[in-house]
Structure formats: structure tokens, C-alpha cells
Amino acid sequence: MKNGAFTGFVLAMVLCFGMPVGGGVALAAVPQEPAQGGVIPATPELIRQIQFMLQTVGIDPGPIDGNAQALTNRAAHQFQFQNALPITDITNSGPISTAFLDLLRKEAGAKLGVVPNPPGPNPPGQAAIAPAAPPAPTPPPAAPPAPPPPDRFASCQFDPQDFAVGGKQYTPQSFLDEGFGGSTDRAVANLTQRLKEARDIAEKIGGSALLEVQRQARVLAYFECRQKIEQAAK
């Protein structure tokens, strides 16, 4: 995970979001100019939105700056490949496929609030699944292992859901190791910058995009707490 898979703990972060509807998120259409052939022009604002949406679905687009460069195109190509879409570049002021935008908008909206319906009873005519046979007796448990050393960061509170990025559940430590090479100082500096970028975009979009900003703020607060403990121990 790199600059944006949180980017990716980070941090993700675009389309125009509507208000919640029926427990999910309603997504308004991306503002667009008249276009033909299923494409719209790639304005700087639209490119910023695309970068934010790619980050939201767990693909690192690089800086969210409205400038389509190599990292943005690599992220767009990855999303297009994963969804069996034609592989096309995003260029400043060039054409962007509306099919690509529609699917990216849908997946980003799902990450920001759509909750799957819980499973219901078996459909009519379908036999119920038979209960599993009881397990065989297990041997006596082995001696318990030695207790782990005390967690010196136990006072730093966090929500595990804040570390679910790109379909993968991280722990704070695995997120730190994979995203920032295990460096708390690097994580704080990087997350601070990305939170600022996310806030700038959320102020224009509003709605459910604010939830992503709040998540990133909680993640940053956790690592700032760890940073203070590490500095005090030096």
C-alpha cells in the first residue's frame, strides 16, 4: 500500500455525492459538459474527482491535484482492467469514457456508505442446508503460550473499521508497516497532507465524502498518539 491505498489507510478520497437514501448513498451525476460518443472532457476538477474516487476504492492515484500524470493513469488502468473496461489513458483536457466514470462512481459510493442487505431465508422450493455433524472430541489443550509483552500503545484508541482499506483489513501495525515502512513520523506527515487534500475536496462535495474525511482524521489522531509515546521514550 502506497501513497493513497490509504490513499489507502489513507486515506481515500470524486464524484458529486447526494444525500443518503434508504440507508445507502445516492450519487448525483458528475458535472459534465455536452459530449458525444459516451465521453466527456477531462477538466482539472473532474480529474481531481477521479483521483479521489480511485483512492476511495483502494487504488493509489498519486497526488489529488487535478493533473493526470503517470500514477493517475496507472491507477485508472488497474481499475479498468479489474472491471473489464477498455484500457484508456486520462489526459488533461482529453476525453474520458462515461462508462468508466459511471462504474467508478458506483464503486466509490459503495465504499462510502452502501450497506449490503442481510441474507434472508431460503428461497421457496430450496431445501434448507442440513446442520453440520458435531465435531469429534478434541485432545486436551496444550499449555498456554507465554503472554505477549504489554502494548505500550494501548492508551491510543482506534476503530478497526477505520483500517479496512481496499477490501483488506489491516491492524494499525500492519498498516504502518506496509504503508509507511514502519515509521510513525512518516505516517503522521503523510496522513496530515492527505487529510488536508481530502478536506479541500469534501468542502466542495459534501454529503458522504465527509465520512471519509472523518475516518482519515481518526486514523491520523491514532498515529499522533503513538508518535507522542515514541518521542517520550527517547
Side-chain angles (χ1 to χ4, degrees), residues 1 6 8-9 151 153-154 156-165 168-184 187 191 218-226 230:
M1 183 176 62
F6 196 114
F9 212 50
D151 181 8
F153 303 120
C156 300
Q157 301 298 312
F158 68 92
D159 184 348
Q161 288 299 111
D162 290 339
F163 291 84
V165 181
K168 180 177 180 180
Q169 180 65 57
Y170 293 86
T171 65
Q173 188 61 49
S174 66
F175 182 79
L176 184 69
D177 292 340
E178 293 190 31
F180 307 100
S183 169
T184 303
L191 295 174
R218 292 192 296 270
V219 170
L220 175 59
Y222 170 79
F223 283 107
E224 286 176 336
C225 175
R226 286 184 59 146
E230 290 176 353

Side-chain angles (χ1 to χ4, degrees), residues 70-116:
L71 284 175
T72 299
N73 272 294
R74 185 175 67 181
H77 293 170
Q78 181 178 338
F79 181 85
Q80 291 163 347
F81 177 79
Q82 291 172 350
N83 292 278
L85 295 172
I87 304 301
T88 57
D89 286 339
I90 298 174
T91 58
N92 298 330
S93 300
I96 297 181
S97 165
T98 54
F100 164 68
L101 287 175
D102 289 344
L103 186 55
L104 180 57
R105 190 162 60 239
K106 178 179 177 182
E107 293 201 11
K111 291 290 184 182
L112 290 172
V114 174
V115 179

Side-chain angles (χ1 to χ4, degrees), residues 183-204:
S183 169
T184 303
D185 291 341
R186 180 180 172 190
V188 170
N190 196 303
L191 295 174
T192 299
Q193 177 62 31
R194 294 183 185 175
L195 179 59
K196 179 180 181 300
E197 294 173 348
R199 282 174 172 160
D200 291 342
I201 293 176
E203 288 176 359
K204 298 179 181 179

